[in-house]
Amino acid sequence: MALDLANTIIFRQAPDRAQDRFSNSLEVARFACAAGIFRAGEWGSVNFIPPQSPSGHLNLIELREAINNLFRTAVLEGGFKAQYLSNFLRLASAVIGDSQNEQDFTLPPFAQHRELLLSAGAALSGLNLLDPARLSRIKICPNCHWLYLDESRNRSRRWCDMTVCGNRAKAKRHYDRKGRGHGL
Ligand SMILES: [Zn+2]
């Protein structure tokens, strides 16, 4: 889920093409709802609560960027950089520290249904990804620059989503070959 959050900006590595889904704040609530449904396998039964205030929204964006910097750099350069790890842990700690005391922060998957602020969920998910077994499976999609977890047995996944980015890349290769064949 932490990676899904980072992926709310598409084409991150091409600043002129980058698009931020969260520039529309309605999208944050939509994301929170979808994350609970699509990540049920990873989390169990969970409701993510979107930020309730403008400052909560800004904190979420800050955490999103910290998650992106930490894991994208880890994939591109290998290993965690002190600055990014420290920034992520600081923001994660603040989000958890601001929560109510009765909240249970055991890492997912949850045995029982939980309600969790989206930012607290992103912090827990990010902490889960620090595990080297998971970290070594994080990849960057060459088409859309999304971060994704390659859970295939032989780690052979090349795209975030074969049906979207894989097919687009295949079509482009086909076009390039045809183009060259015609001397274009
Ligand atoms: Zn992709």
Side-chain angles (χ1 to χ4, degrees), residues 140-146 148 159-161 164-166:
I140 297 173
C141 177
N143 185 55
C144 68
H145 313 159
W146 273 11
Y148 68 94
W159 315 100
C160 69
D161 186 333
V164 181
C165 287

Side-chain angles (χ1 to χ4, degrees), residues 5-180:
L5 181 66
N7 292 343
T8 55
I9 292 188
I10 192 168
F11 301 126
R12 271 192 183 268
Q13 288 164 217
D16 51 323
R17 288 175 81 197
Q19 291 169 28
D20 185 351
R21 209 181 128 186
F22 282 1
S23 54
N24 175 352
S25 60
L26 286 177
E27 284 292 322
V28 183
R30 207 170 293 163
F31 174 87
C33 180
I37 296 166
F38 291 113
R39 293 299 171 204
E42 176 190 346
W43 291 80
S45 175
V46 63
N47 272 352
F48 293 116
I49 303 157
Q52 306 293 309
S53 66
S55 68
H57 179 85
L58 288 178
N59 289 345
L60 179 69
I61 298 292
E62 208 181 350
L63 182 61
R64 175 184 74 173
E65 296 312 300
I67 287 167
N68 176 68
N69 287 335
L70 178 64
F71 294 108
R72 192 171 298 271
T73 312
V75 176
L76 292 172
E77 297 177 31
F80 291 133
K81 299 285 171 277
Q83 173 200 353
Y84 295 137
L85 181 58
S86 146
N87 199 35
F88 166 68
L89 292 173
R90 182 176 62 79
L91 295 172
S93 170
V95 160
I96 293 167
D98 285 345
S99 303
Q100 290 149 342
N101 265 335
E102 59 268 28
Q103 177 96 54
D104 180 353
F105 282 108
T106 313
L107 293 179
F110 302 150
Q112 284 175 339
H113 177 79
R114 288 223 207 135
E115 301 229 324
L116 206 58
L117 268 179
L118 186 58
S119 49
L124 291 189
S125 175
L127 290 171
N128 247 358
L129 291 172
L130 299 181
D131 175 355
R134 289 200 177 84
L135 180 67
S136 63
R137 290 182 179 273
I138 299 178
K139 293 182 176 176
I140 297 173
C141 177
N143 185 55
C144 68
H145 313 159
W146 273 11
L147 291 165
Y148 68 94
L149 207 55
D150 179 359
E151 293 177 290
S152 65
R153 198 191 293 181
N154 53 4
R155 303 180 187 217
S156 57
R157 238 178 95 186
R158 291 182 52 209
W159 315 100
C160 69
D161 186 333
M162 188 59 212
T163 58
V164 181
C165 287
N167 280 340
R168 204 159 288 164
K170 232 193 306 185
K172 184 174 181 305
R173 269 202 308 276
H174 181 70
Y175 176 82
D176 288 349
R177 261 201 307 270
K178 250 175 83 177
R180 273 199 297 276

